[in-house]
Coordinates of all heavy atoms in Angstrom, one line a residue:
V75 N 96.2 -16.6 -70.6 CA 95.6 -16.8 -69.3 C 95.9 -15.6 -68.4 O 97.0 -15.3 -68.2 CB 96.0 -18.1 -68.7 CG1 95.3 -18.3 -67.3 CG2 95.7 -19.3 -69.6
N77 N 95.6 -14.6 -64.5 CA 95.3 -15.3 -63.2 C 95.2 -14.1 -62.2 O 96.2 -13.5 -61.8 CB 96.5 -16.2 -63.0 CG 96.3 -17.1 -61.8 OD1 95.3 -17.0 -61.1 ND2 97.2 -18.1 -61.6
Q129 N 77.2 -10.7 -63.4 CA 75.9 -10.1 -63.2 C 75.9 -8.6 -63.1 O 74.9 -8.0 -63.2 CB 75.2 -10.8 -62.0 CG 74.8 -12.2 -62.3 CD 74.1 -12.8 -61.1 OE1 74.5 -13.8 -60.5 NE2 72.9 -12.3 -60.7
V136 N 81.5 -12.4 -71.3 CA 82.0 -13.8 -71.0 C 81.2 -14.7 -71.9 O 80.0 -14.7 -72.0 CB 81.7 -14.2 -69.5 CG1 82.2 -15.6 -69.3 CG2 82.5 -13.2 -68.6
I140 N 82.8 -21.0 -66.0 CA 82.8 -22.2 -65.3 C 83.0 -21.9 -63.8 O 83.9 -21.3 -63.3 CB 84.0 -23.1 -65.7 CG1 83.9 -23.4 -67.2 CG2 84.0 -24.4 -64.9 CD1 85.1 -24.2 -67.8
S166 N 75.7 -21.7 -34.3 CA 75.6 -20.4 -33.7 C 76.4 -19.3 -34.6 O 76.4 -18.2 -34.2 CB 76.2 -20.4 -32.3 OG 77.5 -20.9 -32.3
Y194 N 68.7 -13.8 -42.2 CA 69.5 -13.8 -43.5 C 69.0 -12.7 -44.4 O 69.8 -11.9 -44.9 CB 69.4 -15.2 -44.1 CG 69.7 -15.3 -45.6 CD1 71.1 -15.2 -46.0 CD2 68.7 -15.4 -46.5 CE1 71.4 -15.4 -47.3 CE2 69.1 -15.6 -47.9 CZ 70.4 -15.5 -48.3 OH 70.7 -15.7 -49.6
Y197 N 69.9 -9.2 -42.8 CA 71.3 -8.7 -42.7 C 72.2 -8.9 -43.9 O 73.1 -8.2 -44.1 CB 72.0 -9.4 -41.5 CG 71.5 -8.7 -40.2 CD1 70.6 -9.3 -39.4 CD2 72.1 -7.5 -39.7 CE1 70.2 -8.7 -38.2 CE2 71.7 -6.9 -38.6 CZ 70.8 -7.5 -37.8 OH 70.4 -6.8 -36.6
I204 N 72.2 -10.8 -55.1 CA 72.7 -11.3 -56.4 C 71.8 -12.4 -56.9 O 71.8 -12.7 -58.1 CB 74.2 -11.7 -56.2 CG1 75.0 -11.5 -57.5 CG2 74.4 -13.1 -55.6 CD1 75.3 -10.1 -57.8
R222 N 73.5 -13.3 -70.9 CA 74.4 -13.1 -72.0 C 75.4 -14.3 -72.2 O 76.0 -14.4 -73.2 CB 75.2 -11.8 -71.9 CG 74.3 -10.5 -71.9 CD 75.2 -9.3 -71.7 NE 76.0 -9.5 -70.5 CZ 77.1 -8.9 -70.2 NH1 77.7 -8.2 -71.1 NH2 77.8 -9.2 -69.1
Q260 N 64.1 -25.4 -56.9 CA 64.4 -24.1 -56.1 C 63.6 -23.0 -56.8 O 63.5 -22.9 -58.0 CB 65.8 -23.7 -56.1 CG 66.7 -24.7 -55.4 CD 66.7 -24.4 -53.9 OE1 66.3 -23.4 -53.4 NE2 67.3 -25.4 -53.1
S265 N 61.0 -19.7 -60.6 CA 60.6 -18.3 -60.9 C 61.6 -17.6 -61.9 O 61.4 -16.5 -62.2 CB 60.4 -17.5 -59.7 OG 59.6 -18.2 -58.7
H280 N 75.1 -26.1 -67.9 CA 75.7 -27.5 -67.9 C 75.9 -27.8 -66.4 O 76.7 -27.2 -65.7 CB 77.0 -27.5 -68.6 CG 76.9 -27.2 -70.1 ND1 76.9 -28.1 -71.1 CD2 76.7 -26.0 -70.7 CE1 76.7 -27.6 -72.2 NE2 76.6 -26.3 -72.0
V296 N 95.1 -32.4 -62.6 CA 95.2 -32.2 -64.1 C 94.1 -32.9 -64.8 O 93.6 -32.3 -65.8 CB 96.6 -32.6 -64.6 CG1 96.7 -32.7 -66.1 CG2 97.7 -31.6 -64.1

Side-chain angles (χ1 to χ4, degrees):
V75 179
N77 194 351
Q129 290 182 242
V136 177
I140 303 177
S166 57
Y194 164 75
Y197 283 99
I204 209 75
R222 295 176 307 150
Q260 293 277 345
S265 306
H280 301 259
V296 166

